[in-house]
């Protein structure tokens, strides 16, 4: 909080021209290197401009009130009505004040119209932005068409899976996290492990606000997993931190590596990270981990207009979803693993330990 306040103060000094040349140069370098700082500068500039316009409007109102107080409208009207010939004399005597009043009146009408017009434009923009947001999120969810040719450990529906994504274990006894959009509209859902074995699952929790679903393996052939090798990170991950994901954009799992490029996601969504990782359909619901093997998020989508701009829901909301599972759905309370077996390992060794806990999601409807 303190750092944010200090940054706001520096931004205001920068916009008001209070910084010395060296400070201006250093700050502009920071703007070029950090998109979030640049965004704050632009927002603050708009705010100051809005405040300046508002102050000008107040000044205009005060001037109009002052002029109105100085003109005796009733006396002028009474003088004009019975003696039309005196209008010219009246004009010559008061033309300066009348001209000023008329000018301010016209300016006032123009200002009011402009404000109303801009307000209407802003309302339309907000409404349009919501429509665009919903449309893009729908179009860019990373789910793919799949087929059911793999060897299975239990009987699958006869029809092929319509959609597929990725999920990962959040407990040893069969609880799996994925995106809600991966399983939306499903009549039945199966998961497939890295050995090609498939297990039927049931949906335990749907969280539409954060696009998270918790599944539970409901199959007699499933055996509990060993202790999870990763921990679910409770605090925030910094911009520039290296991250990777392991998911199923095809029948074999694929590694994607990159870094956190912003602490906010699509259109400034603070529940997400933006990550510089090229992703493909099938990655939705996959785990996002840092170099130390901490699970920091869940892959949720990408932006088609920006290459490599992908988004992940922050791990905090995975923990919230786990705590929100109805008690009658739990055989025993599940909690995040506190022991990290991936820390200090090279990437290949991390993947070797991770792969048994990441699953392909198969959706049937």
């Amino acid at each position: 909080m303190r750092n944010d306040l200090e940054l706001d103060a520096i931004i205001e000094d920068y916009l008001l021209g209070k910084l010395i040349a060296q400070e201006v140069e250093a700050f502009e370098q920071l703007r070029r290197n950090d998109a979030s700082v640049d965004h704050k500068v632009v927002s603050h500039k708009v705010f100051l401009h809005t405040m300046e316009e508002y102050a000008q409007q107040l000044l205009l109102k005060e001037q109009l009130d002052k002029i109105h107080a100085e003109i005796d409208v009733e006396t002028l009207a009474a003088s004009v009505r019975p003696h039309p010939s005196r209008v010219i004399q009246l004009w010559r005597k008061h033309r300066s004040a009348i001209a000023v009043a008329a000018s301010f009146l016209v300016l006032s009408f123009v200002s009011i119209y402009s404000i109303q017009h801009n307000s209407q434009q802003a309302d339309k923009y907000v409404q349009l932005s919501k429509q665009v947001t919903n449309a893009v999120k729908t179009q860019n969810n990373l789910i793919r068409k799949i087929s059911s040719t793999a060897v299975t450990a239990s009987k699958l529906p006869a029809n092929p899976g319509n959609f597929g994504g990725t999920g990962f274990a959040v407990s040893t006894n069969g609880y799996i996290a994925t995106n809600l959009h991966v399983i939306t509209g499903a009549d039945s859902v199966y998961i497939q492990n890295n050995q090609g074995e498939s297990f039927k699952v049931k949906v335990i929790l749907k969280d539409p606000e954060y696009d998270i679903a918790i599944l539970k393996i409901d199959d007699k052939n499933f055996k509990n997993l060993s202790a999870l090798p990763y921990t679910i990170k409770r605090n925030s991950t910094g911009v520039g931190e290296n991250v990777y994901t392991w998911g199923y954009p095809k029948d074999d799992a694929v590694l994607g590596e990159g870094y956190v490029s912003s602490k906010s996601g699509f259109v400034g969504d603070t529940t997400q990270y933006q990550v510089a990782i090229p992703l493909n359909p099938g990655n939705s619901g996959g785990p996002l981990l840092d170099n130390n093997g901490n699970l920091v998020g869940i892959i949720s989508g990408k932006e088609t207009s920006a290459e490599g701009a992908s988004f992940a829901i922050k791990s905090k909301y995975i923990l919230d979803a786990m705590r929100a599972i109805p008690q009658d759905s739990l055989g025993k309370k599940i909690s995040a693993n506190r022991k990290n077996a991936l820390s200090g390992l090279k990437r290949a060794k991390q993947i070797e330990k991770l792969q048994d806990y990441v699953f392909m999601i198969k959706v049937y409807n």
Side-chain angles (χ1 to χ4, degrees), residues 112-168:
I112 291 170
Y113 173 78
S114 176
I115 292 168
Q116 290 177 339
H117 182 69
N118 288 338
S119 297
Q120 291 172 355
Q121 291 282 5
D123 288 341
K124 290 178 182 176
Y125 177 78
V126 170
Q127 292 169 3
L128 179 62
S129 71
K130 289 180 180 176
Q131 293 168 0
V132 170
T133 299
N134 291 335
V136 174
K137 283 190 175 180
T138 299
Q139 293 171 9
N140 296 331
N141 288 333
L142 300 171
I143 41 183
R144 68 186 180 98
K145 292 184 178 180
I146 60 174
S147 61
S148 300
T149 56
V151 178
T152 61
S154 56
K155 188 176 181 181
L156 293 176
N159 62 309
N162 291 325
F163 298 105
T166 304
F168 55 91

Side-chain angles (χ1 to χ4, degrees), residues 4-230:
D4 288 341
L5 293 175
E6 290 175 352
L7 179 58
D8 288 340
I10 293 172
I11 290 173
E12 184 155 346
D13 289 344
Y14 169 75
L15 292 174
L16 296 177
K18 295 181 179 180
L19 299 181
I20 62 176
Q22 292 88 341
E23 291 173 331
V24 170
E25 183 179 352
F27 186 73
E28 289 180 345
Q29 181 65 37
L30 176 62
R31 285 184 66 183
R32 288 191 290 270
N33 294 338
D34 192 331
S36 64
V37 172
D38 183 67
H39 178 72
K40 280 193 172 186
V41 173
V42 174
S43 299
H44 202 80
K45 186 175 182 180
V46 172
F47 171 73
L48 291 178
H49 181 67
T50 303
M51 293 299 294
E52 183 180 352
E53 285 187 340
Y54 180 65
Q56 290 175 351
Q57 292 167 18
L58 290 180
L59 179 61
L60 173 61
K61 184 177 183 299
E62 290 175 1
Q63 291 173 329
L64 288 172
D65 290 342
K66 184 178 179 181
I67 292 171
H68 185 270
E70 292 175 353
I71 298 175
D72 189 343
V73 178
E74 291 298 326
T75 302
L76 290 177
S79 301
V80 171
R81 266 191 232 105
H83 306 288
S85 62
R86 296 181 60 191
V87 172
I88 295 176
Q89 297 177 7
L90 185 64
W91 165 252
R92 288 174 179 171
K93 185 177 180 180
H94 298 285
R95 62 183 175 183
S96 296
I98 293 172
V100 172
S103 298
F104 275 110
L105 189 61
V106 172
L107 183 58
S108 179
F109 278 123
V110 171
S111 298
I112 291 170
Y113 173 78
S114 176
I115 292 168
Q116 290 177 339
H117 182 69
N118 288 338
S119 297
Q120 291 172 355
Q121 291 282 5
D123 288 341
K124 290 178 182 176
Y125 177 78
V126 170
Q127 292 169 3
L128 179 62
S129 71
K130 289 180 180 176
Q131 293 168 0
V132 170
T133 299
N134 291 335
V136 174
K137 283 190 175 180
T138 299
Q139 293 171 9
N140 296 331
N141 288 333
L142 300 171
I143 41 183
R144 68 186 180 98
K145 292 184 178 180
I146 60 174
S147 61
S148 300
T149 56
V151 178
T152 61
S154 56
K155 188 176 181 181
L156 293 176
N159 62 309
N162 291 325
F163 298 105
T166 304
F168 55 91
V170 292
S171 73
T172 59
N173 60 334
Y175 285 89
I176 309 294
T178 188
N179 287 137
L180 178 58
H181 69 253
V182 172
I183 54 93
T184 296
D187 290 333
S188 57
V189 182
Y190 284 74
I191 63 164
Q192 179 177 303
N193 64 18
N194 64 316
Q195 298 173 350
E197 299 172 322
S198 291
F199 305 99
K200 183 174 177 56
V201 299
K202 58 182 178 181
V203 180
I204 297 298
L205 179 131
K206 296 180 179 180
D207 188 341
E209 184 176 1
Y210 301 116
D211 190 23
I212 293 175
I214 302 294
L215 315 176
K216 175 68 168 67
I217 298 176
D218 185 22
D219 197 305
K220 63 181 181 180
N221 294 308
F222 171 72
K223 297 179 180 179
N224 283 0
L225 301 169
S226 302
L228 303 185
Y230 45 80

Side-chain angles (χ1 to χ4, degrees), residues 340-351:
N340 189 332
L342 303 180
S343 181
L345 299 180
K346 292 184 177 180
R347 183 74 75 241
K349 286 294 183 181
Q350 288 183 334
I351 296 300

